Amino acid sequence: MCFSFSKFQAMGVANQDAVRQLALLMEGVDEPLKQTFENMHQGYRDEAIVRFLKARDGNVAKAHKMLLDCLNWRIDNEVDNILRKPIYSSVFRSIRNCQLIGLSGYSREGLPIFAVGLGLSTRKKMHISHYTHSHIQLNEYRDRVVLPSATIRFGRYIGTCIKVLDMTGLNLSTLNQIKLLTLLSTIDDLNYPEKTDIYYIVNVPYIFLACWKVVKPLLKERTRKKIQVLHGSGKDELLQIMDYESLPHFCKEQSSGSSKYFPLSLIGSTEDCFSADHPFHQGLYDYVEHQQSLFWKSRVPIKEESFQDDIPEPDPDSTEIALTTESELQKNGE
């Protein structure tokens, strides 16, 4: 489970000594924090430590504080048990129909490919806790099931993923999403840092390009380097790192970003990785149901309503980016 010094350098972390320092600090924490840390790193302690060091530019003290804050957040919100908490079918389908995300396949190096329909995602009249609950469950299922399975399948440690963001349909209605997206992004930034290797953005309309020009300079350099805006559906570029079968459905047809990006016959089909009937989402749903059934045997069942998400306040940079995006969308909305 240890990296060579050269690998740490390549990952932008100060050196292997920083990992040892942070690992030593973690040995001194209280038992509840140790337990949730073990649940989080899934046996890959040093790799988890590297992620937090990267997120704080190799500063051990800052990475230590970030990690402790994350572990306390997990305890306060019972995140270790979130995959035992039921997702009622109607709520599950409603969320899948409006918050578009799915697993389309794997890169040739074995990284899971998560597709996100950012432009066409909406928010129905459900409490925001339903969305945060679902988002955290997806993160935990990725970290506890998808990534370990990929590690076994490809014969090497795989702890990160690739995301393909589809901007089809981006317009002024996206303003209604900004608050929710900022909250979900804050959860990921603070508690699941450095889990995405690269973001590919495809099917970009003019309104996105206008926003991108002013938002890009506000991003941290580490984040900017992870984002690639591709031409059209990005099909040709993406086929350099994945097979055709792993392409998200919205990348399989060339698109200008404003027209229909895949045949209507695919909507709701198992080829549409956003669909609640897609094997990835069915696997998640069945996994949670199974975990809940095991939990019933020894304890009183956890009610869905017991999840109370304590959403941290976004940092000033995130707030500025959200406000800038909103302003640009309004200016270029016509």
Side-chain angles (χ1 to χ4, degrees):
M1 273 195 302
C2 79
F3 290 96
S4 67
F5 177 69
S6 61
K7 186 166 185 179
F8 283 125
Q9 288 181 313
M11 297 176 76
V13 180
N15 52 47
Q16 199 169 5
D17 187 53
V19 177
R20 287 195 290 264
Q21 289 180 45
L22 186 48
L24 185 61
L25 288 171
M26 293 308 299
E27 290 177 5
V29 301
D30 294 339
E31 192 59 35
L33 294 176
K34 285 184 180 178
Q35 183 60 55
T36 196
F37 184 41
E38 290 178 4
N39 290 337
M40 184 185 77
H41 66 59
Q42 294 287 296
Y44 292 93
R45 184 200 66 179
D46 287 358
E47 288 83 346
I49 285 174
V50 166
R51 290 193 296 105
F52 281 85
L53 283 168
K54 285 179 68 177
R56 290 297 178 262
D57 298 319
N59 185 301
V60 175
K62 290 181 179 179
H64 182 227
K65 181 182 184 304
M66 182 186 187
L67 182 49
L68 290 181
D69 288 345
C70 167
L71 298 180
N72 280 305
W73 172 82
R74 293 179 66 88
I75 291 172
D76 291 344
N77 291 282
E78 300 182 5
V79 174
D80 289 341
N81 288 325
I82 199 168
L83 290 178
R84 295 173 175 170
K85 298 182 180 183
I87 314 172
Y88 299 130
S89 181
S90 59
V91 174
F92 182 74
R93 287 189 171 275
S94 294
I95 292 174
R96 295 283 64 79
N97 287 336
C98 60
Q99 290 293 299
L100 306 180
I101 186 170
L103 177 69
S104 67
Y106 297 83
S107 73
R108 293 194 185 96
E109 294 186 347
L111 274 63
I113 309 294
F114 282 92
V116 184
L118 200 59
L120 292 176
S121 286
T122 60
R123 180 185 170 190
K124 294 186 177 179
K125 293 182 179 179
M126 291 187 290
H127 193 274
I128 198 168
S129 65
H130 287 300
Y131 294 102
T132 54
H133 184 158
S134 174
H135 183 76
I136 295 168
Q137 277 192 326
L138 278 169
N139 283 349
E140 292 294 310
Y141 185 69
R142 174 198 64 199
D143 293 350
R144 298 193 221 173
V145 179
V146 176
L147 292 173
S149 296
T151 295
I152 294 171
R153 175 181 172 184
F154 291 93
R156 68 178 187 86
Y157 172 69
I158 295 174
T160 58
C161 66
I162 292 171
K163 290 184 179 178
V164 183
L165 310 182
D166 177 33
M167 294 297 170
T168 299
L170 190 73
N171 55 38
L172 281 177
S173 65
T174 307
L175 290 176
N176 297 325
Q177 288 287 304
I178 287 179
K179 181 179 179 181
L180 175 60
L181 292 174
T182 302
L183 290 178
L184 299 184
S185 176
T186 298
I187 290 174
D188 289 349
D189 289 344
L190 297 181
N191 302 294
Y192 301 92
E194 301 296 326
K195 295 298 291 188
T196 302
D197 267 8
I198 190 166
Y199 298 86
Y200 292 108
I201 301 179
V202 302
N203 296 329
V204 294
Y206 169 77
I207 194 171
F208 170 81
L209 295 175
C211 291
W212 181 238
K213 287 180 181 178
V214 296
V215 169
K216 185 177 180 179
L218 302 177
L219 299 173
K220 295 176 182 176
E221 183 181 2
R222 186 178 67 252
T223 302
R224 285 201 304 271
K225 288 180 177 179
K226 289 185 175 186
I227 299 173
Q228 291 190 25
V229 181
L230 305 183
H231 176 72
S233 68
K235 180 178 177 181
D236 293 339
E237 294 94 332
L238 293 174
L239 284 175
Q240 295 178 22
I241 64 164
M242 68 184 77
D243 295 333
Y244 181 83
E245 292 73 18
S246 291
L247 282 176
H249 52 274
F250 50 76
C251 295
K252 290 183 177 179
E253 297 291 329
Q254 292 296 337
S255 168
S256 66
S258 58
S259 59
K260 286 293 181 182
Y261 57 88
F262 60 97
L264 290 175
S265 60
L266 285 185
I267 299 177
S269 76
T270 54
E271 290 186 56
D272 171 7
C273 65
F274 298 150
S275 169
D277 295 316
H278 187 272
F280 169 70
H281 291 299
Q282 282 298 299
L284 167 59
Y285 187 86
D286 292 344
Y287 184 87
V288 173
E289 290 288 292
H290 178 64
Q291 292 297 310
Q292 175 69 359
S293 69
L294 294 178
F295 199 66
W296 280 345
K297 294 179 181 179
S298 59
R299 302 187 183 188
V300 176
I302 301 175
K303 295 181 180 180
E304 183 183 37
E305 293 77 14
S306 69
F307 179 74
Q308 298 295 325
D309 49 302
D310 178 19
I311 306 299
E313 288 294 323
D315 63 29
D317 288 343
S318 298
T319 301
E320 183 180 2
I321 290 169
L323 292 174
T324 302
T325 303
E326 183 173 342
S327 174
E328 287 302 308
L329 281 169
Q330 289 175 330
K331 287 196 298 186
N332 293 278
E334 296 186 359

